Amino acid sequence: MPKIFINYRSGNGDHLAAALDENLRNRFGADAVFRDGRSLKPGTAYPQALLRELRRSSVLLVVIGPGWGRSPRLLESDDWVRREILVAQRLGLDIVPVVDAAAGRFLDNSELPEELAWLARHQALSYAPYTSVRDLTVIGDTLLDLVPDLVELTTPPAPAEKGGTNNSVSGGNSGTLVQGRDFSGDIGTVIKGNSGGQFHTGKGDQHVHHHNDSTQFSVDGGTFVAGSNNRAVNHRSENEPGEGRCPR
């Protein structure tokens, strides 16, 4: 149920109204704040909805922008800014003017319609963009004093994960995947102690010939060396595109 009703003039304080709405919702929860531009769903009959939400509220924030008190619309009986303030007064709500720094000064009762002249005697709060954090904090603290049953939202710290650390590796499904901070040893294909000759570690049929040995075998990825390996051993895959058999 809304407890804070934000009253504002479109084009003369709506940016401050939106800032108040966001800050107070973050502090007290969305259900504790009413601003028609956000709270009313499309298709809602606003006259009934506004009066209903006013009756549910405990405090009315009146956003005062530049020239707010001199607006001729305040003289019109069907002006909703005027109407909401007068209804809130009849309901006995706490009414707090929030003056935008751009307005330059607080309300002057000589500028207000007779029915609203009393509003200039209400203690006001101020808001300026360059002191917005402090000003919004003061406004929220004031509302806590005026509406004791307001409850501030609290966000508990995220609990520490138990059972160690879980890691995952993505982006590939072949070859060797290594994830870690410190490790030792060999990874992948390692050839040690090769004092002569060449090695081929690719894939495809392998044909190995020695000048004194006509031994031949075909195997996927295998290497066979017969006799003395005093000379180079050449390997060539006959399945590679554009390649023929390895010459003798």
Side-chain angles (χ1 to χ4, degrees), residues 146-208:
L146 292 175
V147 188
D149 56 339
L150 273 178
V151 178
E152 292 191 84
L153 298 180
T154 57
T155 305
E161 294 186 6
K162 298 180 179 180
T165 302
N166 295 322
N167 297 312
S168 62
V169 179
S170 61
N173 57 5
S174 63
T176 303
L177 299 177
V178 178
Q179 185 174 3
R181 191 190 72 173
D182 301 319
F183 63 90
S184 62
D186 299 323
I187 298 176
T189 302
V190 180
I191 301 175
K192 296 181 178 180
N194 176 28
S195 59
Q198 300 177 356
F199 290 85
H200 174 70
T201 59
K203 62 182 180 178
D205 293 343
Q206 308 293 318
H207 299 277
V208 183

Side-chain angles (χ1 to χ4, degrees), residues 106-148:
F106 292 104
L107 290 173
D108 185 343
N109 61 357
S110 65
E111 296 178 345
L112 296 173
E114 182 179 353
E115 297 83 358
L116 295 175
W118 53 268
L119 186 61
R121 297 189 293 272
H122 278 233
Q123 185 67 28
L125 297 171
S126 61
Y127 171 90
Y130 47 85
T131 55
S132 60
V133 174
R134 181 197 67 190
D135 295 343
L136 291 170
T137 299
V138 170
I139 293 169
D141 292 344
T142 300
L143 292 171
L144 277 175
D145 292 337
L146 292 175
V147 188

